[in-house]
Amino acid sequence: DVQLVESGGGSVQAGRSLRLSCTASGWSATNNCMGWWRQSPGKGREGVASFVNVAGGTLYGDSVKGRFTISRDDAKNTWFLQMTNSNPEDTATYLCAAKNGCGAPWYDYWGQGTQVTVSS
């Protein structure tokens, strides 16, 4: 079975940084794509950042462009979300997701989520 496990969530003050990690077991990151989503009450699920091709191309949500960075370590089947200059609107449950290949618009696997709370 494929499992994705997020870590690194917590509570920070606005303007501070946080780094989330997602590690996959039973699945290889090599030549596949993955990303981060977030959801909060009343806002639904929002795409935050993702790898969109095997060359390492990335896509970011408008609200996080210039502040968040997605990166990956395929040898460890792990990817990261570096959050900088955080603000209260970033408060959400952050979920990592992975797909087989990069072509499909859907994700095959999802983590359980890690809570991030940003206070003003």
Side-chain angles (χ1 to χ4, degrees):
D1 288 353
V2 176
Q3 284 192 319
L4 307 184
V5 179
E6 301 98 339
S7 61
S11 297
V12 294
Q13 288 189 317
R16 303 300 292 270
S17 298
L18 201 64
R19 190 193 198 204
L20 307 182
S21 301
C22 180
T23 299
S25 60
W27 179 84
S28 173
T30 303
N31 293 327
N32 289 317
C33 281
M34 65 285 287
W36 289 94
W37 292 69
R38 66 186 182 187
Q39 61 186 31
S40 55
K43 288 188 177 180
R45 190 168 289 187
E46 174 190 10
V48 177
S50 62
F51 286 102
V52 296
N53 56 49
V54 295
T58 55
L59 180 68
Y60 291 91
D62 287 342
S63 61
V64 306
K65 282 180 182 176
R67 299 189 299 120
F68 291 8
T69 302
I70 188 172
S71 61
R72 60 196 288 173
D73 183 346
D74 287 0
K76 297 181 179 179
N77 290 327
T78 299
W79 55 103
F80 308 94
L81 184 69
Q82 180 68 50
M83 306 168 57
T84 63
N85 194 20
S86 59
N87 60 62
E89 289 68 41
D90 295 323
T91 295
T93 299
Y94 284 73
L95 303 101
C96 63
K99 64 176 74 173
N100 296 314
C102 296
W106 62 83
Y107 284 89
D108 297 292
Y109 314 107
W110 291 84
Q112 293 296 309
T114 185
Q115 179 66 35
V116 172
T117 302
V118 183
S119 58
S120 58

